[in-house]
Amino acid sequence: MSKKYVYLFSEGNAKMRELLGGKGANLAEMSNIGLPVPQGFTITTEACTQYYADGRQINDEIMAEIMKNVETMEKINGKKFGDLENPLLVSVRSGARASMPGMMDTILNLGLNDDVVAAMIKGNPDPKFERFVYDSYRRFIQMFSDVVMEVGKKYFEQLIDAMKEQKGVKFDVELTAADLKELAEQFKAEYKKQLGEDFPSDPVVQLKEAIRAVFRSWDNPRANYYRQQNDIPYSWGTAVNVMPMVFGNLNENSGTGVAFTRDPATGEKKLMGEFLTNAQGEDVVAGVRTPMPISEMEQKFPEAYEQFVKVCALLEDHYRDMQDMEFTVENGKLYMLQCRNGKRTAQAALKIACDLVDEGMIDEKQAVLMIEPRNLDTLLHPQFDAAALKAAKPVGKGLGASPGAACGKVVFSAEDAKQWAARKEKVVLVRLETSPEDIEGMAAAQGILTVRGGMTSHAAVVARGMGKCCVSGCGEIKMDEENKKFELAGKTYHEGDPISIDGSTGNIYDGIIPTVDATIAGEFGRIMAWADKYRRLDVRTNADTPRDAAKAVELGAHGIGLTRTEHMFFNGDRIAAFREMICSDTLEERVAALAKLEPMQQSDFEGIYEAMQGYPVTIRFLDPPLHEFVPTDEADIAELAKTQGKTVADIKAIIASLHEFNPMMGHRGCRLAVTYPEIAEMQTRAVIKAALAVQARHPDWNLVPEIMIPLVGEVKELKYVKDVVVKVADELIAASGTDMKYLVGTMIEIPRAALTADEIAKEAQFFSFGTNDLTQMTFGFSRDDAGKFLGSYYDKKIYESDPFARVDQIGVGKLVKMAAKLGRATRPDLHLGVCGEHGGDPSSVEFFHKVGLDYVSCSPFRVPIARLAAAQAAIKFPVVGDEADEEAQKAAAVKAAEEEVNAKVEAAKVALKEASEKLQTVAADASVELKEFATVAFKSLKAGWEEAKKTFDQEKK
């Protein structure tokens, strides 16, 4: 039989969320538990998918099924579309399986036309009722024109404002029935003016167009953006809910409201919400009138309020979570229009989860699963004052690359940031893009704003590591770094001008918005303890300084998965020594320059070992190409020439020789150590000496240094560098008289390394997947430049999310999975981790758990996110690696069998229904004998159906 695309509310339930969407599934569930829900139907998400597959058209089969359910809805409610005696008016609402509040479209009061309006008024002479009818009519015309036909609502708002001004009133509710009747005529005239055709009067045409509009809204810009931000696949589609209207704007004994069973801002257990009398749902959220607190509803509608309080308790008990509900009171009677698990702040989410455990409503695992990991970010960084932020208007928007709030005076260079900060000035560093040498300026600034770069650009990665607010990739900015100014939204900002940036949303504001310090509630510790109890993956951090390392330990990190040694070279006298090494002509000169750096590196490593308190530390050897360390300023070049005893021309020639057309794939990583093994020797001495010194100070610790060789693509190059490391390390350990152990491993960040992981594992004692580079090399585009064109890829649905922010499980993920399997086939005890920025992304963490990695590593402030995401992954997927593949195959087979059985059940239901209708039709005009025969036949058929259902249920089990 053909697929079923439409379900009455009475046919669904909460478990059918994927098919009916969240709203449809919950309307069905509320109907099932006996709550007062206007009875309608849901058009499935599969119908939406089919709409797009058919070239944005609703095919005849689906439309026929919709109209058949319209007839059923008419019978259930005793009203008919377009009927002049008892007309049916409906709402048409979206409803995706994941909550997307405000992202898609709704149409209310559908079914009205001039004839229906006149008939309704004729049947009720009350002047207030006449006003209600015309109010509903003008609302419908405006909403249909805006949402369905895409005529801007501004045209209609101008007409309303003109009418209110003409009548000398302030609010819509003060307009009379005659005023609203005139407005409705003006609206229809505006519709014809804009579209060149009359407003559709046929309710069936209105309905078909409205359903198309809701399907179409799944692909509108705000919905697309919301999905990208919240990891919601485009392929899911939205359902459409069609249900009879109930009218909060009927009279003063009617109203509409929105409520939460607990405070969504704090989590406090009390009923929160707002209510408006004589209004429809849009009035509550539009802010045209000031709603009353939900508690005042008790005085206005005592019976409906008492029932509503009981409904709230029933729903929270049923769903075991805080509920967000929409409802309407029509003539004193309560109707429930929606319920869903309510959106909440991170602080509220923690409190609600803990309270529900304490109340015996849920267990620890359920509490861990109900927290959105990404929201924890907001607990750990300064935030803008809520009232001040509400009043502010953004002047621009970039990517929210590192959360938090920052405000200060604009500066354009790292040096200026340091100098201004030294004078106790708060600054925001604004750069075209940042580079490693900006590190001190970034540390001095309150926040960083860049014109270029994405979520894994240098600015983003370093800012997250520091816990600094960062907005990157604001292409709207016209930058003039040379003259220290930029233009945004028509205003020119100069050095010293105040701005504010929001690293969570990417918004940029003119002037200073006050900030408040982040507060971590006591519930944070409880939730994190539960997360640690259930997770399998360990969580490390990416940290380059003792300060970052200490912060990560404070936030629950159990080691360092990545220390980037190159960042240590940019401080003062260190950069001079490193440049001296680069400009050396002989091996002896290079070794002498590196000897100056060795004690500095050793001191850095000792500080990191101390901060990590015995937890493992992975130190990556020098990775960036050498050109990043040479000066670009003429004065700095002259100074270097003087120091080196060379001419400026000599230094410029050296700098020019370091130029590469594609430096990210050039002379960097292990290739530097192959060319200049003395660099690896120096770094090995610093690592091992530091470990020996700290171990001596802390005999109870068991330090096992982990040395990571970057950018390996060939096992022989790894062996070459490893041999250098082992020779130096073994000599130092032997001389110390200890038996310290150490590991030498590599980053898997080149596709060839993943493909030959079985060979590389012969030399490597651990793999750490550098997913930033692995992503750019697998896709073949630069992570710093991809932002220029990825927007077009999102718009055209080629990519659904930024592959640098969320790991590409199909391509990059396949390489990770392959390398893990090949590596462990060679070396069963191979330790596997990930140190790219994906280590702090919840969906990526889930994937790494399922693949069977041992740990993820991320920036310090994302450690709690990774801990929680790892716990959720372990609870949802207790089996990992090859065993998980087998489990998935079994699950797929079970699902296929279940679908086959369900199809048989649906076929039997349809056959029974059709036979029943035929028998009833025959019986209606038949003799008494034939009627008796039909009754007996129907009972026999029903008995056969029940027997068949038992068989199907057994088969399903």
Side-chain angles (χ1 to χ4, degrees), residues 876-934:
K876 289 190 281 186
F877 303 99
V879 183
V880 301
D882 291 342
E883 291 180 38
D885 290 342
E886 292 173 13
E887 288 290 320
Q889 289 173 6
K890 290 177 187 175
V894 170
K895 187 176 181 182
E898 191 175 83
E899 287 174 353
E900 185 179 348
V901 171
N902 285 337
K904 291 178 182 177
V905 171
E906 289 299 331
K909 279 184 182 178
V910 172
L912 175 64
K913 190 175 180 183
E914 288 175 352
S916 171
E917 288 171 354
K918 286 177 183 175
L919 286 170
Q920 287 170 355
T921 302
V922 170
D925 300 320
S927 63
V928 175
E929 291 84 358
L930 192 54
K931 284 182 180 179
E932 288 176 355
F933 168 76

Side-chain angles (χ1 to χ4, degrees), residues 460-492:
V461 172
V462 173
R464 282 195 290 271
M466 294 177 166
K468 291 280 182 184
C469 168
C470 176
V471 174
S472 64
C474 180
E476 303 165 35
I477 291 176
K478 295 179 181 175
M479 175 66 84
D480 184 354
E481 281 186 319
E482 187 177 347
N483 295 303
K484 295 188 176 181
K485 63 181 181 180
F486 70 85
E487 188 178 317
L488 179 61
K491 176 177 176 177
T492 301

Side-chain angles (χ1 to χ4, degrees), residues 797-866:
K797 311 299 180 295
I798 296 170
Y799 298 150
E800 289 194 13
S801 61
D802 182 350
F804 291 109
R806 204 163 292 135
V807 74
D808 158 43
Q809 297 184 21
I810 297 170
V812 175
K814 186 177 286 187
L815 289 172
V816 171
K817 194 172 181 179
M818 179 191 302
K821 191 171 183 177
L822 289 173
R824 281 190 168 148
T826 298
R827 189 186 291 264
D829 63 346
L830 186 70
H831 205 53
L832 301 173
V834 60
C835 62
E837 279 301 296
H838 296 109
D841 169 64
S843 63
S844 303
V845 170
E846 180 180 288
F847 172 76
F848 298 134
H849 164 84
K850 286 156 70 175
V851 169
L853 302 194
D854 296 305
Y855 69 86
V856 294
S857 187
C858 56
S859 50
F861 284 91
R862 297 181 91 182
V863 165
I865 296 171

Side-chain angles (χ1 to χ4, degrees), residues 406-407 427-430 441-442 444-449 468-471 501:
C407 51
V427 299
V428 174
L429 177 61
V430 183
M442 293 171 74
Q446 301 298 306
I448 301 103
L449 170 61
K468 291 280 182 184
C469 168
C470 176
V471 174
I501 59 174

Side-chain angles (χ1 to χ4, degrees), residues 459-579:
V461 172
V462 173
R464 282 195 290 271
M466 294 177 166
K468 291 280 182 184
C469 168
C470 176
V471 174
S472 64
C474 180
E476 303 165 35
I477 291 176
K478 295 179 181 175
M479 175 66 84
D480 184 354
E481 281 186 319
E482 187 177 347
N483 295 303
K484 295 188 176 181
K485 63 181 181 180
F486 70 85
E487 188 178 317
L488 179 61
K491 176 177 176 177
T492 301
Y493 293 80
H494 299 86
E495 186 176 57
D497 288 347
I499 64 167
S500 300
I501 59 174
D502 187 332
S504 301
T505 63
N507 286 337
I508 303 159
Y509 301 89
D510 186 19
I512 301 293
I513 299 177
T515 61
V516 293
D517 287 337
T519 54
I520 297 179
E523 290 87 2
F524 179 85
R526 284 186 77 188
I527 294 289
M528 288 294 104
W530 293 336
D532 292 341
K533 179 178 176 181
Y534 295 111
R535 66 183 166 87
R536 182 194 62 80
L537 274 175
D538 214 345
V539 178
R540 298 190 186 185
T541 189
N542 301 340
D544 307 331
T545 67
R547 183 175 66 90
D548 288 349
K551 172 56 71 174
V553 170
E554 179 189 327
L555 294 173
H558 283 180
I560 289 180
L562 174 65
T563 293
R564 309 171 190 86
T565 54
E566 58 270 10
H567 284 172
M568 302 169 177
F569 294 139
F570 282 101
N571 296 338
D573 52 351
R574 301 182 182 202
I575 190 65
F578 200 79
R579 286 171 177 171

Side-chain angles (χ1 to χ4, degrees), residues 370-383:
M370 73 190 302
I371 309 291
E372 170 53 56
R374 289 185 187 89
N375 290 350
L376 294 181
D377 253 348
T378 59
L379 294 173
L380 307 173
H381 302 276
Q383 301 297 311

